Amino acid sequence: SQQGEEDPQALSIQEGENATMNCSYKTSINNLQWYRQNSGRGLVHLILIRSNEREKHSGRLRVTLDTSKKSSSLLITASRAADTASYFCATAVNALNFGKGTSLLVTP
Amino acid sequence: DGGITQSPKYLFRKEGQNVTLSCEQNLNHDAMYWYRQDPGQGLRLIYYSQIVNDFQKGDIAEGYSVSREKKESFPLTVTSAQKNPTAFYLCASSIGTLNNQPQHFGDGTRLSIL
């Protein structure tokens, strides 16, 4: 059962701009994870944020979690063409439930 | 380098045929997973295993079978009972329990029907 839903479905920006993707979910979670998938490849884990955390950073990535609104956001600052990929949120209850992803295109 | 290896990268199945997808990891992870990904969709869990000789059904286990005889290996068989097997199959592993650790993924096997 897919619990996380990413928004927007697709996002196109230019290099140097920031990209923000959102994830909404329906039930209480233990943690929320963001993954990246390049075309035709497996997923790569980016960040795990626990339910008692509000914000987490990793390099150019910033993730926020608002459990009262059941939502999370992933911000990629100063985007590069190499950031072009699909980004998935996964909510952790008993198992990981993945959303359908946001497809990000970063043009030079 | 530690990682997860899936093979083959591309696989074709004839009608009525069973096919087996290989997944091997050298990360010393206890838990392993199989997911199915259809175009424009998220991942759906087929089977998972938390320890050797034990595995559990996920959301879409019908038409699939698995085994976990070794810690490093978690092969997935797509049986003839799976009527719509065309998809991208991803194997993953994690250190411990289902949701408290990041999952590490292989590069997938793309299965098509001949």
Side-chain angles (χ1 to χ4, degrees), chain A residues 6-12 101-105:
Chain A
E6 294 90 346
D7 172 65
Q9 286 188 315
L11 181 60
S12 182
T102 291
S103 178
L104 173 65
L105 174 64

Side-chain angles (χ1 to χ4, degrees), chain B residues 6-95:
Chain B
Q6 290 188 242
S7 62
K9 192 169 178 65
Y10 300 96
L11 187 58
F12 298 91
R13 194 191 90 169
K14 295 179 181 178
E15 293 288 341
Q17 186 181 44
N18 292 354
V19 292
T20 297
L21 285 60
S22 170
C23 178
E24 303 277 332
Q25 55 101 357
N26 60 5
L27 299 166
N28 199 32
H29 286 173
D30 287 314
M32 296 187 75
Y33 317 83
W34 274 105
Y35 294 93
R36 170 181 172 139
Q37 186 178 30
D38 292 282
Q41 301 293 313
L43 278 62
R44 291 185 289 169
L45 183 63
I46 305 173
Y47 269 98
Y48 63 94
S49 168
Q50 292 182 271
I51 56 173
V52 174
N53 292 323
D54 184 62
F55 48 82
Q56 306 294 330
K57 293 182 179 180
D59 297 324
I60 55 165
E62 187 174 348
Y64 300 97
S65 66
V66 293
S67 62
R68 186 87 187 275
E69 297 176 2
K70 298 187 299 182
K71 188 175 185 178
E72 303 80 23
S73 179
F74 191 40
L76 173 75
T77 296
V78 183
T79 74
S80 57
Q82 173 48 245
K83 297 307 179 187
N84 183 24
T86 297
F88 190 47
Y89 290 87
L90 287 161
C91 179
S93 70
S94 64
I95 292 174

Side-chain angles (χ1 to χ4, degrees), chain A residues 1-2 30-31 33 35 37 40-45 48 50 88 92-101, chain B residues 6 9 35 37 40-45 48 59 88 90 98-108 110:
Chain A
S1 54
Q2 291 179 337
N30 295 320
N31 64 67
Q33 302 179 32
Y35 288 80
Q37 184 180 34
R41 303 293 299 273
L43 278 69
V44 175
H45 180 262
L48 182 154
R50 303 193 188 282
F88 294 89
V93 184
N94 294 319
L96 275 186
N97 294 305
F98 288 84
K100 295 182 180 181
Chain B
Q6 290 188 242
K9 192 169 178 65
Y35 294 93
Q37 186 178 30
Q41 301 293 313
L43 278 62
R44 291 185 289 169
L45 183 63
Y48 63 94
D59 297 324
F88 190 47
L90 287 161
L98 285 179
N99 59 40
N100 290 332
Q101 299 292 335
Q103 292 188 9
H104 298 254
F105 284 80
D107 270 341
R110 192 167 298 280

